[in-house]
Amino acid sequence: MSRYHSVRLDHELCMGCTNCIKKCPTEAIRVRDGKAQIADNRCIDCGECLKACPHHAKSASMDSLEDMADYDYTVALAAPSLYAQFGPPANRFMVLSALQNLGFDDVYEVAIGADIVTENTIRLLRQTGKKVPRPLISSACPVVVRLIQMRFPGLIDNLVPFDSPMEVTAELARADAILKTGLKSDRIGVFFISPCPAKRTATYFPIGRLRSQVDKVLSFAEVYPLILAKLDKLSPAMVEETRKRELAKADGIRWAYTGGESMSLNLDKYLAVDGIHNVISILEEIENERLRDIDFIEPNSCIGGCIGGPLTVSNRFSAKSRQRVYVREANKLAFEEPASFHNLNKLQLEEWDVPLEPNKALNLAENISDALVKYDQMEQVAKKLPGLDCGACGAPTCASLAEDIVRGLATETDCIFKLKDRIRAVAAEMIELENEMSRHAPLPSDNGSEDAP
């Protein structure tokens, strides 16, 4: 079954350079006939190929501000990492006010949803009547969830079984908008401002639920210059109006960078890891039961966390420095004006009502016996290959080429070294054949001999 993906490939721009095949964590990309091809059942929308492609042939297909015209009332959801795109003199209230003034009727901080998920995760970790797997793995990053479904299905039960902060906030925002306006739900548009393409894919294929509460997903890259232009035009009254709303706490704002979610849980035995290939290494450790002393794992697909997302604008190092300032300001305001902050920490989240299923894209066959036969075949083919993992065949490694051969998607001579060996063998056979023909050819008659009449 074909799936929707927000990571798109432009064949016109693709030069078949193989940079992307080396970066893809699920080996979803091959180069065939001089162009990259993405297997949609393996793609997890991590955006690694967007970063790797020097020809900009990979892009993120996102929604647009023009989509606001489809709704009677619109709400913008600001991801915590959005703040970090803007340095002084901008502050949180200015960024939120500028975002709303792009044409939205209301604006919400997704950090509020992060606060709520944090409190529910703490309660889950403290449960005594129900056995909670250890280590518990954050499900906030949709890329990591998709990765676990595909490569580590045995760890699905270790995932935090709650909606992401994006979904939690979207549900609150939609309910609030219905109450304020009396409109039907389908006339209200909830727009998430995202640092990564995976969030848009998650609205088409929600995690743990049948339908997403988010209608459209915009990229940081699109809204950044528009917010920047609005910041200089904000009146003090606009900013003050935003400041009066219920605000997210510092813990939720901290979710923007690696370790922020874990720190909010007040745990000692936690591990925060970023970068999809580093995440894979840690998940392998968990699968091999080598992290029994850890209670919680916070895996982030992007290096630096969401502030390092492929659709962000600011350098992740400067973004983290800015985000710490936003966290400090939130802590300071909480001390001075505690009533300014939301009081939703007691909100009990329901666990996912749609169980996560393994993605069997990596399975060699439907049943285990056939899969084992094919695996043995794959190993035999791999032994014949040079083991250089050069990528010239269009597959990322010799092992993946062996898999393609067993699946019937490639041939041994796709390997340039095997092709050269075959050409040499054919050339040697031709030379031998020519020599053989020469040895058996009749000698030419000598018309100039003395016996000739």
Side-chain angles (χ1 to χ4, degrees), residues 56-86:
H56 308 291
K58 317 293 191 307
S59 62
S61 176
M62 307 293 282
D63 297 305
S64 168
L65 282 167
E66 295 177 0
D67 293 321
M68 286 194 292
D70 296 336
Y71 302 94
D72 296 329
Y73 189 89
T74 55
V75 184
L77 307 182
S81 48
L82 179 65
Y83 306 131
Q85 310 306 301
F86 304 93

Side-chain angles (χ1 to χ4, degrees), residues 295-312:
D295 288 327
F296 184 78
I297 305 285
E298 179 195 330
N300 293 277
S301 171
C302 298
I303 294 178
C306 289
I307 57 172
L311 303 182
T312 56

Side-chain angles (χ1 to χ4, degrees), residues 417-450:
F417 298 99
K418 300 299 288 186
L419 179 61
K420 286 181 178 178
D421 290 343
R422 180 60 181 152
I423 292 172
R424 290 192 191 101
V426 170
E429 289 174 6
M430 292 179 66
I431 293 171
E432 179 62 29
L433 182 60
E434 287 178 359
N435 290 339
E436 187 70 16
M437 291 175 66
S438 296
R439 285 195 294 270
H440 292 87
L443 294 174
S445 60
D446 189 358
N447 292 331
S449 65
E450 294 179 357

Side-chain angles (χ1 to χ4, degrees), residues 80-212:
S81 48
L82 179 65
Y83 306 131
Q85 310 306 301
F86 304 93
N91 58 40
R92 179 166 44 140
F93 315 114
M94 292 173 68
V95 172
L96 291 171
S97 182
L99 174 60
Q100 184 172 349
N101 275 275
L102 296 185
F104 293 102
D105 296 294
D106 204 353
V107 62
Y108 267 77
E109 295 183 278
V110 173
I112 291 176
D115 286 333
I116 295 168
V117 174
T118 293
E119 289 300 318
N120 279 268
T121 304
I122 290 172
R123 281 194 286 270
L124 186 64
L125 286 164
R126 290 176 179 171
Q127 278 187 11
T128 54
K130 174 184 174 183
K131 184 173 176 59
V132 178
R134 293 290 198 278
L136 203 60
I137 303 172
S138 169
S139 57
C141 177
V143 172
V144 172
V145 175
R146 304 298 189 201
L147 175 69
I148 288 174
Q149 286 179 279
M150 184 183 301
R151 290 191 55 173
F152 305 94
L155 300 181
I156 288 176
D157 289 342
N158 290 66
L159 287 165
V160 173
F162 302 131
D163 282 339
S164 68
M166 176 186 78
E167 289 288 353
V168 172
T169 309
E171 193 158 0
L172 290 173
R174 186 177 297 278
D176 193 24
I178 291 172
L179 191 63
K180 284 180 181 177
T181 65
L183 291 169
K184 292 183 178 180
S185 180
D186 61 355
R187 301 311 308 152
I188 296 166
V190 178
F191 288 64
F192 176 66
I193 317 301
S194 177
C196 77
K199 293 290 189 181
R200 186 173 190 245
T201 305
T203 65
Y204 283 84
F205 293 92
I207 293 169
R209 57 164 54 223
L210 289 173
R211 185 183 182 279
S212 173

